[in-house]
Amino acid sequence: MGNTEKLLNQIMELKFTSKSLQRQARKCNKDEKSEKLKVKKAIEKGNMDGARIYAENTIRKRTEQMNYLRLASRLDAVAARLDTQAKMFTINKSMSNIVNL
């Protein structure tokens, strides 16, 4: 029974980490939007060097967001596999009890 509890704890930790990564991705999306506004304001003022820097920051935030989402998706997939494994473990245990009877 201890093995199943460890597996369930790992699944919960993976889900928690995945949600944390999704939160960070949303934060990056928000930062990306603010950087886009800074680019627009810099272009309107004629500050092309500043606009270029803000544009690079925008691109960096976008790739960071996508990386967070990719990693969160991978963690969700691992958690799903572990969940399936935990369910199969309990099914196998109950089947072995039935067969022994």
XYZ file of all heavy atoms in Angstrom:
810
model
N 0.821 -1.197 0.000
C 0.000 0.000 0.000
C 0.863 1.257 0.000
O 0.497 2.271 -0.560
C -0.923 -0.037 1.224
C -2.121 0.840 1.086
S -3.167 0.243 -0.238
C -4.481 1.389 -0.114
N 2.056 1.177 0.623
C 2.944 2.325 0.674
C 3.428 2.730 -0.707
O 3.640 3.907 -0.982
N 3.599 1.738 -1.584
C 4.057 2.015 -2.940
C 3.031 2.831 -3.715
O 3.374 3.763 -4.435
C 4.369 0.701 -3.656
C 5.178 0.902 -4.914
O 5.757 1.957 -5.119
N 5.225 -0.115 -5.744
N 1.772 2.492 -3.535
C 0.696 3.217 -4.219
C 0.599 4.648 -3.700
O 0.386 5.577 -4.478
C -0.641 2.496 -4.009
O -0.497 1.130 -4.388
C -1.729 3.111 -4.850
N 0.780 4.816 -2.390
C 0.722 6.159 -1.813
C 1.860 7.029 -2.344
O 1.658 8.205 -2.647
C 0.779 6.083 -0.290
C -0.480 5.520 0.323
C -0.359 5.348 1.820
O 0.649 5.805 2.408
O -1.278 4.767 2.409
N 3.043 6.456 -2.487
C 4.169 7.202 -3.040
C 3.880 7.619 -4.475
O 4.178 8.747 -4.886
C 5.448 6.360 -3.012
C 6.068 6.188 -1.659
C 7.337 5.369 -1.756
C 7.927 5.087 -0.405
N 9.140 4.242 -0.504
N 3.280 6.710 -5.211
C 2.942 6.996 -6.605
C 1.912 8.107 -6.696
O 2.042 9.028 -7.517
C 2.427 5.723 -7.281
C 2.335 5.714 -8.788
C 3.679 6.007 -9.418
C 1.825 4.367 -9.270
N 0.913 8.068 -5.833
C -0.112 9.112 -5.830
C 0.467 10.466 -5.412
O 0.087 11.506 -5.956
C -1.273 8.714 -4.919
C -2.112 7.526 -5.399
C -3.173 7.166 -4.364
C -2.763 7.831 -6.730
N 1.405 10.448 -4.468
C 2.063 11.693 -4.064
C 2.873 12.279 -5.216
O 2.878 13.497 -5.425
C 2.968 11.462 -2.853
C 2.188 11.299 -1.571
O 1.046 11.736 -1.464
N 2.786 10.657 -0.591
N 3.546 11.418 -5.963
C 4.316 11.887 -7.114
C 3.396 12.483 -8.173
O 3.726 13.499 -8.789
C 5.134 10.745 -7.716
C 6.309 10.326 -6.864
C 7.030 9.126 -7.431
O 6.523 8.443 -8.322
N 8.228 8.870 -6.919
N 2.251 11.854 -8.376
C 1.280 12.373 -9.351
C 0.809 13.762 -8.933
O 0.743 14.681 -9.753
C 0.084 11.405 -9.498
C 0.537 10.108 -10.176
C -1.038 12.044 -10.282
C -0.488 8.997 -10.118
N 0.513 13.937 -7.645
C 0.060 15.243 -7.160
C 1.154 16.297 -7.309
O 0.883 17.436 -7.687
C -0.383 15.142 -5.697
C -1.669 14.354 -5.505
S -3.041 15.002 -6.477
C -3.276 16.569 -5.704
N 2.400 15.922 -7.034
C 3.512 16.863 -7.193
C 3.674 17.274 -8.652
O 3.916 18.447 -8.946
C 4.822 16.240 -6.680
C 4.927 16.174 -5.184
C 5.022 17.553 -4.555
O 5.669 18.444 -5.127
O 4.422 17.736 -3.480
N 3.524 16.322 -9.559
C 3.641 16.637 -10.981
C 2.523 17.574 -11.431
O 2.759 18.521 -12.196
C 3.628 15.360 -11.819
C 4.901 14.526 -11.790
C 4.685 13.200 -12.502
C 6.048 15.282 -12.422
N 1.320 17.318 -10.958
C 0.193 18.192 -11.321
C 0.385 19.595 -10.765
O 0.102 20.591 -11.443
C -1.123 17.600 -10.818
C -1.572 16.387 -11.602
C -2.888 15.849 -11.094
C -3.328 14.636 -11.882
N -4.600 14.089 -11.384
N 0.891 19.684 -9.541
C 1.142 20.982 -8.924
C 2.211 21.746 -9.702
O 2.064 22.952 -9.974
C 1.576 20.790 -7.472
C 1.894 22.074 -6.765
C 0.883 22.926 -6.361
C 3.204 22.427 -6.518
C 1.169 24.110 -5.719
C 3.503 23.616 -5.877
C 2.485 24.457 -5.473
N 3.268 21.065 -10.089
C 4.337 21.695 -10.854
C 3.830 22.147 -12.215
O 4.183 23.230 -12.696
C 5.516 20.720 -11.022
O 5.928 20.250 -9.737
C 6.691 21.378 -11.707
N 2.976 21.340 -12.834
C 2.415 21.693 -14.126
C 1.577 22.962 -14.024
O 1.675 23.862 -14.867
C 1.565 20.538 -14.662
O 0.915 20.906 -15.838
N 0.762 23.064 -12.979
C -0.055 24.264 -12.791
C 0.826 25.484 -12.555
O 0.537 26.586 -13.028
C -1.030 24.082 -11.633
C -2.185 23.175 -11.982
C -3.208 23.176 -10.874
C -4.291 22.184 -11.205
N -5.568 22.814 -11.411
N 1.912 25.295 -11.825
C 2.846 26.386 -11.582
C 3.469 26.867 -12.892
O 3.604 28.074 -13.121
C 3.933 25.927 -10.614
O 4.926 26.900 -10.478
N 3.834 25.937 -13.750
C 4.402 26.299 -15.048
C 3.379 27.025 -15.919
O 3.722 27.973 -16.638
C 4.921 25.057 -15.765
C 6.197 24.444 -15.188
C 6.486 23.107 -15.839
C 7.367 25.385 -15.350
N 2.142 26.610 -15.850
C 1.096 27.290 -16.619
C 0.885 28.713 -16.110
O 0.652 29.635 -16.892
C -0.206 26.495 -16.559
C -0.143 25.207 -17.362
C -1.367 24.343 -17.178
O -2.249 24.650 -16.397
N -1.408 23.232 -17.900
N 0.988 28.900 -14.795
C 0.897 30.245 -14.221
C 2.043 31.122 -14.724
O 1.846 32.283 -15.072
C 0.937 30.180 -12.690
C -0.407 30.294 -12.033
C -0.280 30.542 -10.538
N 0.599 29.622 -9.840
C 0.243 28.427 -9.383
N -0.986 27.990 -9.545
N 1.106 27.671 -8.744
N 3.236 30.553 -14.761
C 4.387 31.309 -15.251
C 4.238 31.647 -16.727
O 4.655 32.721 -17.166
C 5.676 30.519 -15.013
C 6.060 30.444 -13.546
C 7.255 29.551 -13.304
O 7.614 28.725 -14.134
N 7.883 29.708 -12.153
N 3.622 30.751 -17.485
C 3.384 31.019 -18.904
C 2.409 32.186 -19.064
O 2.599 33.048 -19.931
C 2.847 29.773 -19.598
N 1.365 32.227 -18.239
C 0.423 33.347 -18.306
C 1.117 34.661 -17.935
O 0.849 35.705 -18.534
C -0.767 33.092 -17.380
C -1.768 32.096 -17.941
C -3.066 32.109 -17.174
N -2.924 31.756 -15.778
C -3.013 30.518 -15.288
N -3.256 29.504 -16.096
N -2.876 30.294 -14.001
N 2.014 34.605 -16.952
C 2.756 35.802 -16.567
C 3.635 36.273 -17.724
O 3.734 37.472 -18.001
C 3.614 35.514 -15.341
C 4.350 36.723 -14.807
C 5.179 36.358 -13.592
C 5.901 37.547 -13.017
N 6.852 38.147 -13.909
N 4.278 35.351 -18.419
C 5.100 35.716 -19.568
C 4.247 36.330 -20.672
O 4.693 37.268 -21.351
C 5.851 34.492 -20.108
S 7.251 34.024 -19.109
N 3.044 35.822 -20.852
C 2.136 36.378 -21.852
C 1.794 37.829 -21.509
O 1.777 38.701 -22.372
C 0.874 35.527 -21.946
C 0.002 35.901 -23.105
O 0.427 36.565 -24.035
N -1.250 35.483 -23.052
N 1.542 38.076 -20.239
C 1.234 39.430 -19.787
C 2.441 40.348 -19.994
O 2.302 41.483 -20.468
C 0.849 39.378 -18.304
C 0.453 40.686 -17.700
C 0.062 40.473 -16.248
C 0.361 41.702 -15.446
N 0.238 41.495 -14.021
N 3.625 39.861 -19.659
C 4.843 40.649 -19.850
C 5.094 40.926 -21.330
O 5.550 42.014 -21.696
C 6.052 39.918 -19.250
C 6.006 39.834 -17.738
O 5.222 40.592 -17.119
O 6.750 39.014 -17.173
N 4.789 39.938 -22.163
C 4.960 40.114 -23.607
C 4.073 41.245 -24.120
O 4.513 42.095 -24.913
C 4.620 38.815 -24.335
C 4.686 38.907 -25.835
C 4.042 37.727 -26.535
O 3.548 36.805 -25.850
O 4.016 37.744 -27.774
N 2.843 41.289 -23.647
C 1.929 42.347 -24.079
C 2.422 43.728 -23.642
O 2.345 44.698 -24.406
C 0.521 42.085 -23.539
C -0.175 40.932 -24.222
C -1.545 40.689 -23.641
C -2.197 39.476 -24.304
N -3.511 39.184 -23.730
N 2.957 43.811 -22.423
C 3.468 45.106 -21.960
C 4.696 45.526 -22.761
O 4.874 46.718 -23.063
C 3.778 45.063 -20.465
O 4.888 44.242 -20.209
N 5.533 44.555 -23.141
C 6.702 44.876 -23.967
C 6.275 45.348 -25.359
O 6.905 46.238 -25.939
C 7.627 43.670 -24.080
C 8.353 43.294 -22.802
C 9.401 44.294 -22.360
O 10.018 44.938 -23.226
O 9.584 44.448 -21.135
N 5.200 44.773 -25.884
C 4.697 45.218 -27.187
C 4.243 46.675 -27.118
O 4.477 47.449 -28.059
C 3.527 44.338 -27.644
C 3.937 43.025 -28.239
C 2.711 42.264 -28.728
C 3.074 40.915 -29.276
N 1.899 40.151 -29.723
N 3.595 47.036 -26.024
C 3.177 48.433 -25.861
C 4.391 49.362 -25.784
O 4.377 50.465 -26.335
C 2.311 48.594 -24.608
C 0.903 48.019 -24.687
C 0.205 48.133 -23.341
C 0.100 48.725 -25.759
N 5.434 48.899 -25.116
C 6.657 49.700 -25.030
C 7.285 49.877 -26.410
O 7.813 50.955 -26.718
C 7.660 49.042 -24.079
C 7.261 49.108 -22.626
C 8.284 48.403 -21.767
C 7.861 48.356 -20.312
N 8.825 47.626 -19.476
N 7.234 48.812 -27.234
C 7.752 48.916 -28.603
C 6.986 49.989 -29.368
O 7.576 50.848 -30.039
C 7.662 47.552 -29.338
C 7.954 47.711 -30.815
C 8.602 46.531 -28.726
N 5.671 49.933 -29.263
C 4.821 50.898 -29.981
C 5.130 52.329 -29.544
O 5.280 53.230 -30.383
C 3.351 50.562 -29.733
C 2.391 51.404 -30.517
C 0.967 50.955 -30.270
C -0.007 51.838 -31.019
N -1.389 51.459 -30.776
N 5.257 52.549 -28.231
C 5.539 53.891 -27.720
C 6.924 54.370 -28.162
O 7.105 55.539 -28.501
C 5.430 53.907 -26.198
C 4.010 53.811 -25.699
C 3.941 53.812 -24.190
C 2.511 53.643 -23.721
N 2.430 53.575 -22.252
N 7.896 53.454 -28.164
C 9.249 53.830 -28.569
C 9.294 54.203 -30.048
O 9.989 55.150 -30.439
C 10.222 52.696 -28.275
N 8.543 53.466 -30.874
C 8.505 53.783 -32.308
C 7.836 55.135 -32.535
O 8.280 55.938 -33.357
C 7.789 52.661 -33.093
C 8.663 51.411 -33.130
C 7.455 53.110 -34.510
C 8.006 50.192 -33.740
N 6.756 55.398 -31.785
C 6.065 56.685 -31.918
C 6.966 57.858 -31.531
O 6.884 58.931 -32.108
C 4.795 56.700 -31.064
C 3.685 55.828 -31.631
C 2.502 55.714 -30.681
O 2.598 56.195 -29.525
O 1.489 55.119 -31.089
N 7.867 57.629 -30.555
C 8.782 58.679 -30.126
C 10.010 58.761 -31.042
O 10.808 59.686 -30.913
C 9.243 58.435 -28.693
C 8.149 58.650 -27.665
C 8.670 58.424 -26.265
C 7.580 58.638 -25.241
N 8.077 58.380 -23.879
N 10.181 57.782 -31.935
C 11.326 57.782 -32.833
C 12.556 57.133 -32.239
O 13.658 57.251 -32.791
N 12.395 56.421 -31.139
C 13.510 55.755 -30.467
C 13.653 54.336 -31.026
O 13.148 53.372 -30.456
C 13.256 55.733 -28.959
C 14.391 55.122 -28.179
O 15.430 54.783 -28.728
N 14.188 54.987 -26.880
N 14.356 54.197 -32.137
C 14.454 52.892 -32.808
C 15.321 51.899 -32.043
O 15.027 50.705 -32.034
C 14.990 53.068 -34.231
C 14.012 53.723 -35.151
S 12.469 52.792 -35.198
C 11.408 53.958 -35.971
N 16.379 52.381 -31.398
C 17.218 51.459 -30.623
C 16.445 50.893 -29.436
O 16.507 49.695 -29.150
C 18.471 52.175 -30.131
C 19.436 52.493 -31.257
O 19.403 51.754 -32.278
O 20.213 53.459 -31.122
N 15.714 51.741 -28.755
C 14.877 51.276 -27.642
C 13.797 50.328 -28.123
O 13.507 49.316 -27.474
N 13.196 50.639 -29.282
C 12.156 49.772 -29.835
C 12.723 48.406 -30.169
O 12.063 47.382 -29.949
C 11.544 50.410 -31.077
N 13.953 48.375 -30.694
C 14.596 47.098 -31.032
C 14.826 46.260 -29.774
O 14.570 45.054 -29.764
C 15.915 47.363 -31.749
C 16.578 46.095 -32.252
C 17.829 46.389 -33.060
N 17.444 47.013 -34.329
C 17.809 48.233 -34.712
N 18.559 48.978 -33.938
N 17.421 48.709 -35.878
N 15.256 46.909 -28.714
C 15.489 46.197 -27.450
C 14.171 45.652 -26.893
O 14.092 44.487 -26.459
C 16.170 47.124 -26.428
C 17.601 47.421 -26.882
C 16.175 46.497 -25.036
C 18.285 48.514 -26.091
N 13.142 46.478 -26.925
C 11.830 46.023 -26.442
C 11.292 44.886 -27.306
O 10.668 43.945 -26.787
C 10.826 47.171 -26.415
C 11.126 48.224 -25.366
C 11.025 49.577 -25.666
C 11.491 47.876 -24.075
C 11.287 50.552 -24.717
C 11.763 48.832 -23.116
C 11.659 50.173 -23.442
O 11.930 51.120 -22.494
N 11.557 44.944 -28.604
C 11.099 43.876 -29.498
C 11.820 42.567 -29.188
O 11.212 41.492 -29.203
C 11.319 44.272 -30.955
N 13.115 42.664 -28.898
C 13.861 41.457 -28.517
C 13.311 40.867 -27.224
O 13.197 39.644 -27.083
C 15.344 41.787 -28.360
C 16.049 42.065 -29.671
C 17.472 42.560 -29.474
O 17.911 42.727 -28.306
O 18.143 42.789 -30.493
N 12.971 41.743 -26.277
C 12.371 41.276 -25.023
C 11.028 40.600 -25.278
O 10.696 39.588 -24.650
C 12.188 42.436 -24.049
C 13.503 42.938 -23.501
O 14.523 42.263 -23.586
N 13.492 44.143 -22.957
N 10.259 41.155 -26.200
C 8.959 40.573 -26.550
C 9.142 39.163 -27.099
O 8.441 38.231 -26.696
C 8.246 41.451 -27.596
O 8.075 42.756 -27.057
C 6.895 40.878 -27.962
N 10.095 39.024 -28.008
C 10.356 37.703 -28.606
C 10.844 36.721 -27.542
O 10.427 35.562 -27.497
C 11.369 37.838 -29.761
C 10.745 38.631 -30.906
C 11.833 36.462 -30.235
C 11.736 39.067 -31.953
N 11.696 37.198 -26.655
C 12.223 36.343 -25.589
C 11.101 35.860 -24.668
O 11.043 34.677 -24.292
C 13.273 37.114 -24.796
C 14.021 36.248 -23.797
C 15.130 37.006 -23.060
N 16.060 37.632 -23.987
C 16.170 38.955 -24.171
N 15.403 39.799 -23.493
N 17.046 39.457 -25.015
N 10.204 36.765 -24.323
C 9.076 36.392 -23.452
C 8.159 35.377 -24.145
O 7.625 34.471 -23.513
C 8.269 37.625 -23.035
C 8.965 38.489 -22.025
C 9.123 37.757 -20.714
C 9.823 38.615 -19.689
N 9.996 37.904 -18.416
N 7.983 35.547 -25.454
C 7.128 34.625 -26.208
C 7.721 33.218 -26.213
O 7.014 32.234 -25.973
C 6.958 35.144 -27.648
C 6.107 34.283 -28.517
C 4.683 34.311 -28.048
N 3.868 33.562 -28.976
C 2.599 33.340 -28.806
N 1.985 33.820 -27.760
N 1.927 32.638 -29.665
N 9.027 33.120 -26.462
C 9.656 31.789 -26.471
C 9.669 31.183 -25.071
O 9.477 29.979 -24.908
C 11.089 31.861 -27.032
O 11.843 32.795 -26.278
C 11.096 32.234 -28.489
N 9.855 32.037 -24.065
C 9.819 31.559 -22.689
C 8.435 30.998 -22.359
O 8.317 29.927 -21.734
C 10.170 32.719 -21.753
C 10.412 32.333 -20.324
C 10.834 33.528 -19.483
O 11.307 34.540 -20.051
O 10.671 33.444 -18.260
N 7.395 31.694 -22.795
C 6.028 31.227 -22.563
C 5.807 29.873 -23.231
O 5.238 28.956 -22.624
C 5.031 32.241 -23.108
C 3.599 31.771 -23.023
C 2.658 32.591 -23.890
O 3.083 33.460 -24.637
N 1.382 32.308 -23.789
N 6.246 29.733 -24.470
C 6.053 28.474 -25.186
C 6.824 27.335 -24.518
O 6.331 26.202 -24.439
C 6.483 28.623 -26.654
C 5.618 29.604 -27.435
S 3.841 29.339 -27.266
C 3.650 27.810 -28.120
N 8.014 27.621 -24.019
C 8.791 26.591 -23.322
C 8.096 26.146 -22.034
O 8.066 24.953 -21.709
C 10.201 27.096 -23.018
C 11.060 27.190 -24.249
O 10.806 26.516 -25.248
N 12.072 28.038 -24.202
N 7.532 27.102 -21.307
C 6.784 26.752 -20.091
C 5.582 25.868 -20.431
O 5.320 24.873 -19.742
C 6.301 28.002 -19.355
C 7.360 28.688 -18.525
C 7.455 30.074 -18.526
C 8.241 27.979 -17.729
C 8.406 30.721 -17.765
C 9.201 28.621 -16.972
C 9.280 29.995 -16.990
O 10.212 30.634 -16.234
N 4.867 26.230 -21.485
C 3.688 25.445 -21.864
C 4.087 24.036 -22.327
O 3.398 23.061 -22.019
C 2.899 26.168 -22.951
C 2.145 27.407 -22.494
C 1.487 28.099 -23.671
C 1.112 27.054 -21.441
N 5.191 23.941 -23.072
C 5.661 22.622 -23.508
C 6.012 21.739 -22.314
O 5.639 20.568 -22.253
C 6.901 22.779 -24.396
C 6.597 22.699 -25.838
C 7.863 22.642 -26.679
N 7.641 23.527 -27.802
C 8.232 24.681 -27.993
N 9.155 25.110 -27.176
N 7.931 25.427 -29.034
N 6.746 22.312 -21.374
C 7.149 21.541 -20.201
C 5.933 21.142 -19.366
O 5.862 20.011 -18.870
C 8.132 22.353 -19.368
C 8.809 21.643 -18.214
C 9.500 20.357 -18.678
C 9.815 22.558 -17.553
N 4.972 22.044 -19.224
C 3.749 21.717 -18.479
C 2.992 20.581 -19.155
O 2.478 19.676 -18.484
C 2.855 22.947 -18.357
N 2.961 20.598 -20.467
C 2.282 19.535 -21.213
C 2.978 18.196 -21.010
O 2.328 17.162 -20.827
C 2.256 19.894 -22.698
O 1.720 18.846 -23.442
N 4.296 18.216 -21.020
C 5.045 16.975 -20.783
C 4.795 16.428 -19.390
O 4.645 15.217 -19.197
C 6.540 17.220 -20.981
C 6.936 17.404 -22.413
C 8.409 17.667 -22.534
N 8.771 17.974 -23.906
C 9.911 18.495 -24.264
N 10.829 18.776 -23.356
N 10.167 18.745 -25.529
N 4.752 17.335 -18.405
C 4.487 16.889 -17.037
C 3.079 16.316 -16.909
O 2.868 15.332 -16.182
C 4.679 18.043 -16.058
C 6.128 18.445 -15.787
C 6.167 19.627 -14.843
C 6.921 17.299 -15.220
N 2.115 16.907 -17.603
C 0.755 16.370 -17.601
C 0.730 14.963 -18.187
O 0.027 14.081 -17.689
C -0.189 17.274 -18.385
C -0.559 18.531 -17.623
O -0.435 18.537 -16.377
O -0.969 19.511 -18.279
N 1.508 14.752 -19.254
C 1.553 13.428 -19.881
C 2.166 12.401 -18.936
O 1.660 11.275 -18.811
C 2.345 13.495 -21.184
N 3.229 12.772 -18.249
C 3.859 11.857 -17.288
C 2.908 11.552 -16.140
O 2.778 10.401 -15.708
C 5.187 12.448 -16.763
C 5.732 11.640 -15.606
C 6.210 12.513 -17.887
N 2.204 12.575 -15.662
C 1.243 12.366 -14.576
C 0.119 11.432 -15.016
O -0.321 10.569 -14.243
C 0.664 13.699 -14.117
N -0.318 11.562 -16.260
C -1.370 10.680 -16.767
C -0.880 9.233 -16.842
O -1.605 8.297 -16.493
C -1.832 11.146 -18.140
N 0.360 9.060 -17.291
C 0.917 7.703 -17.346
C 1.040 7.089 -15.960
O 0.733 5.910 -15.752
C 2.289 7.724 -18.022
C 2.211 7.928 -19.503
C 3.578 7.729 -20.154
N 3.594 8.409 -21.425
C 4.426 9.369 -21.771
N 5.358 9.768 -20.932
N 4.359 9.930 -22.948
N 1.510 7.892 -15.000
C 1.637 7.388 -13.632
C 0.277 7.087 -13.034
O 0.123 6.119 -12.276
C 2.388 8.390 -12.757
C 3.884 8.516 -13.020
C 4.470 9.606 -12.148
C 4.597 7.205 -12.788
N -0.733 7.879 -13.368
C -2.083 7.638 -12.884
C -2.613 6.317 -13.431
O -3.206 5.519 -12.698
C -2.989 8.798 -13.291
C -4.328 8.765 -12.597
O -4.384 8.335 -11.423
O -5.320 9.166 -13.222
N -2.357 6.085 -14.706
C -2.768 4.817 -15.316
C -2.067 3.648 -14.646
O -2.673 2.613 -14.375
C -2.452 4.828 -16.822
O -3.115 5.933 -17.422
C -2.901 3.544 -17.483
N -0.774 3.841 -14.370
C -0.013 2.784 -13.709
C -0.564 2.490 -12.314
O -0.682 1.331 -11.915
C 1.450 3.182 -13.613
C 2.337 2.128 -12.989
C 3.778 2.583 -12.873
O 4.102 3.703 -13.227
N 4.621 1.715 -12.364
N -0.928 3.521 -11.571
C -1.485 3.332 -10.229
C -2.808 2.586 -10.296
O -3.075 1.684 -9.484
C -1.665 4.682 -9.543
N -3.644 2.946 -11.277
C -4.925 2.256 -11.425
C -4.724 0.795 -11.800
O -5.413 -0.093 -11.270
C -5.784 2.962 -12.475
C -6.318 4.294 -12.009
C -7.098 4.986 -13.092
C -7.547 6.364 -12.644
N -8.207 7.127 -13.701
N -3.782 0.536 -12.700
C -3.511 -0.854 -13.091
C -2.965 -1.652 -11.918
O -3.271 -2.843 -11.760
C -2.524 -0.893 -14.263
C -3.123 -0.429 -15.574
S -4.601 -1.362 -16.056
C -3.897 -2.954 -16.392
N -2.162 -1.004 -11.076
C -1.626 -1.689 -9.907
C -2.745 -2.126 -8.970
O -2.755 -3.257 -8.483
C -0.636 -0.770 -9.183
C 0.018 -1.399 -7.992
C 1.027 -2.339 -8.157
C -0.370 -1.061 -6.704
C 1.635 -2.912 -7.060
C 0.220 -1.631 -5.603
C 1.232 -2.562 -5.777
N -3.714 -1.238 -8.720
C -4.819 -1.596 -7.829
C -5.717 -2.659 -8.465
O -6.210 -3.557 -7.765
C -5.653 -0.361 -7.464
O -6.123 0.260 -8.662
C -4.842 0.628 -6.656
N -5.904 -2.571 -9.787
C -6.718 -3.583 -10.474
C -6.040 -4.938 -10.401
O -6.688 -5.962 -10.119
C -6.978 -3.173 -11.941
C -7.954 -1.996 -11.982
C -7.518 -4.339 -12.749
C -8.108 -1.385 -13.351
N -4.733 -4.988 -10.635
C -3.996 -6.242 -10.565
C -4.046 -6.841 -9.175
O -4.174 -8.045 -8.998
C -2.550 -6.037 -10.996
C -2.403 -5.853 -12.487
O -3.293 -6.222 -13.247
N -1.304 -5.263 -12.893
N -3.975 -5.980 -8.173
C -4.032 -6.450 -6.783
C -5.406 -7.063 -6.486
O -5.498 -8.139 -5.889
C -3.734 -5.299 -5.838
C -3.519 -5.734 -4.419
C -3.048 -4.572 -3.579
C -2.825 -5.016 -2.156
N -2.375 -3.919 -1.307
N -6.455 -6.384 -6.921
C -7.793 -6.921 -6.659
C -8.042 -8.191 -7.479
O -8.702 -9.128 -7.010
C -8.865 -5.879 -6.965
O -8.852 -5.551 -8.331
N -7.512 -8.244 -8.681
C -7.653 -9.464 -9.516
C -6.924 -10.631 -8.868
O -7.427 -11.770 -8.894
C -7.109 -9.209 -10.918
C -7.979 -8.301 -11.759
S -9.569 -9.012 -12.146
C -9.094 -10.183 -13.376
N -5.753 -10.369 -8.298
C -5.024 -11.474 -7.666
C -5.780 -11.975 -6.444
O -5.764 -13.162 -6.136
C -3.611 -11.034 -7.287
O -3.661 -10.054 -6.277
N -6.470 -11.097 -5.719
C -7.285 -11.516 -4.582
C -8.458 -12.369 -5.046
O -8.804 -13.348 -4.389
C -7.795 -10.311 -3.811
C -6.700 -9.631 -3.014
O -5.678 -10.236 -2.724
N -6.900 -8.359 -2.695
N -9.049 -12.010 -6.183
C -10.177 -12.774 -6.705
C -9.726 -14.153 -7.173
O -10.374 -15.165 -6.899
C -10.864 -12.006 -7.843
C -11.550 -10.753 -7.288
C -11.875 -12.879 -8.566
C -12.039 -9.811 -8.353
N -8.592 -14.206 -7.853
C -8.090 -15.480 -8.375
C -7.692 -16.423 -7.245
O -7.925 -17.633 -7.338
C -6.899 -15.210 -9.341
C -6.221 -16.510 -9.729
C -7.395 -14.478 -10.577
N -7.139 -15.904 -6.166
C -6.732 -16.739 -5.051
C -7.918 -17.354 -4.335
O -7.798 -18.384 -3.700
C -5.904 -15.935 -4.055
C -4.492 -15.685 -4.567
O -4.015 -16.415 -5.434
N -3.846 -14.673 -4.038
N -9.081 -16.720 -4.438
C -10.254 -17.273 -3.780
C -10.666 -18.514 -4.511
O -11.038 -19.513 -4.184
C -11.411 -16.273 -3.776
C -11.179 -15.032 -2.907
C -12.363 -14.084 -3.071
C -11.023 -15.412 -1.454
